[in-house]
Amino acid sequence: AAAGGVNAGGAAGTTAGGAAGGAALGTCAPPAKLDQPITKLSQTGCVDPKNPSHFAADVIAYEVNSPLWSDEADKARGFKLPSGGKIHVKDCASEPTLCPQGNADTGKWVFPVGTVMIKNFSFDSKLVETRLYMRVDATTWTGYSYAWDEAQTDATIVPNDRVHVSFNTGTRSVEWNYPNRLDCDKCHNQAAGGFLGPETRQMNRMVGGQNQLDKLTSLGAFETAPPKPYAAAFVTPYAGQLGAPPASATLEEKARSYMHANCAYCHRPDGDFPSIDLRYDIALKDMGICNTTPIKGDQGVSGALDVTPGNPGASTMWLRVTSDQPNMGRMPQIGTAVVDTAGAKLISDWITAIASCP
């Protein structure tokens, strides 16, 4: 394609010698035709075309305090804002119409149309997948998965189907599942804000000697920067790629942080499963789980409730996260195939510590 022309995915681009075959390089933006995404990751404009394992120079890398479980994969995260686009940070006290589900949504971020979120998944420092999630318009996000070759030279778009592979990291073989695009939309739903992760309490984190919120403010990324002092950071639930919880962290803080990141995008009043509200700031009495009869069955344990105080084995909330059967009530329903044993232990300990329902 000629410079400034249209590439195979429909997004405007410019010719760059670093892109495969000298093809037109995309601008890291949603494709003009959503069913025709750019085929090669190196051509999207979201990564360095000469070294696709690195983000493009205009992509802002970030970390979160409480990560989403992804079958033990390590992750690198980044986003690109469209030209002139800025992030809106919800302040429920001053703009209640943006927070119909109450003040628990204060600090959630709304990304502008044209934003592209980028996430690399790796094992043993070897990339297996890169996902691009793009805000197309006021109500629509769309996601694309790219499968890395074992030589780590480039990644290729995954068909719009669930694909299972055994990926060789060089030291072992790992099982990996690429989602279909509908899977992406089920988790990254409108109620959750379209994209999971970036919000003030997740992003209140020191990276490279600087608070990420300070960095984003200096870059002019916000319409209005989060007010100082910043809302208290979520604690990291357990030791992992992003560090460990502070010694002062309570069981309540760790378990609620984990549930907020891994469950609350669906389990909220306007989500796909509105009877349960697992957002961080919701009191136990208002979560809809304590001594509550489960809507979708008892997981084979007669008399099990959503949460039975002091008894995780009679609590479907724990039974579901420990199930190894994704199609038999496992939580999360999609997006993972491996039980998060550390997360399950947190939930077990939290339920055990509940003496009675408020």
Side-chain angles (χ1 to χ4, degrees):
V6 174
N7 59 29
T14 57
T15 300
L25 186 65
T27 58
C28 197
K33 296 182 179 180
L34 300 186
D35 62 345
Q36 296 180 26
I38 296 171
T39 301
K40 292 294 184 180
L41 181 65
S42 61
Q43 297 174 11
T44 61
C46 299
V47 297
D48 180 346
K50 296 182 179 179
N51 187 356
S53 64
H54 288 67
F55 295 150
D58 54 359
V59 171
I60 300 171
Y62 69 93
E63 296 179 2
V64 294
N65 288 314
S66 186
L68 190 70
W69 168 252
S70 298
D71 290 357
E72 298 183 304
D74 290 331
K75 290 180 278 189
R77 305 162 178 84
F79 64 82
K80 182 190 174 187
L81 298 175
S83 178
K86 296 183 183 295
I87 301 164
H88 180 79
V89 181
K90 289 187 178 183
D91 180 350
C92 296
S94 64
E95 46 186 14
T97 57
L98 292 183
C99 304
Q101 306 308 325
N103 288 337
D105 285 335
T106 288
K108 288 186 69 67
W109 292 7
V110 181
F111 285 90
V113 171
T115 296
V116 178
M117 313 297 298
I118 308 159
K119 188 180 290 186
N120 286 338
F121 299 79
S122 63
F123 292 87
D124 305 331
S125 300
K126 193 167 183 178
L127 291 162
V128 63
E129 180 181 355
T130 295
R131 291 179 193 165
L132 305 182
Y133 204 64
M134 307 174 172
R135 187 164 195 191
V136 178
D137 55 37
T139 59
T140 309
W141 288 75
T142 190
Y144 305 102
S145 292
Y146 288 80
W148 278 87
D149 57 36
E150 291 187 2
Q152 302 287 272
T153 58
D154 207 345
T156 304
I157 193 75
V158 177
N160 190 15
D161 294 299
R162 293 177 179 173
V163 178
H164 175 84
V165 298
S166 293
F167 187 79
N168 182 8
T169 73
T171 58
R172 58 175 170 151
S173 179
V174 297
E175 303 301 305
W176 188 249
N177 295 277
Y178 299 100
N180 64 32
R181 292 164 201 167
L182 182 60
D183 289 339
C184 295
D185 295 337
K186 284 181 178 178
C187 290
H188 296 276
N189 54 69
Q190 276 191 275
F195 194 78
L196 315 178
E199 57 182 292
T200 300
R201 298 181 74 167
Q202 280 277 35
M203 300 286 280
N204 183 4
R205 179 179 176 87
M206 298 295 291
V207 178
Q210 183 181 22
N211 189 295
Q212 290 185 127
L213 299 177
D214 291 341
K215 176 183 176 180
L216 290 170
T217 298
S218 70
L219 292 173
F222 298 113
E223 292 177 357
T224 301
K228 290 186 174 182
Y230 297 134
F234 290 138
V235 299
T236 300
Y238 53 77
Q241 181 194 15
L242 294 171
S248 61
T250 66
L251 172 60
E252 178 80 7
E253 289 171 332
K254 291 183 287 187
R256 293 301 302 271
S257 173
Y258 181 85
M259 289 185 281
H260 181 92
N262 286 273
C263 313
Y265 49 85
C266 283
H267 292 292
R268 48 176 291 130
D270 51 355
D272 290 341
F273 303 96
S275 63
I276 293 175
D277 192 349
L278 299 182
R279 291 177 295 169
Y280 187 88
D281 289 325
I282 301 301
L284 177 59
K285 66 181 180 63
D286 298 320
M287 293 172 72
I289 57 175
C290 202
N291 278 343
T292 302
T293 301
I295 293 176
K296 292 194 173 183
D298 59 14
Q299 287 296 102
V301 177
S302 179
L305 303 172
D306 285 333
V307 167
T308 301
N311 189 352
S315 302
T316 58
M317 191 166 176
W318 180 79
L319 294 168
R320 287 182 180 278
V321 299
T322 55
S323 170
D324 61 359
Q325 300 296 319
N327 297 320
M328 298 295 289
R330 163 82 187 285
M331 285 287 128
Q333 288 183 312
I334 56 176
T336 77
V338 178
V339 173
D340 181 0
T341 54
K345 184 179 186 305
L346 261 184
I347 293 176
S348 174
D349 291 346
W350 179 69
I351 293 172
T352 299
I354 298 174
S356 62
C357 293

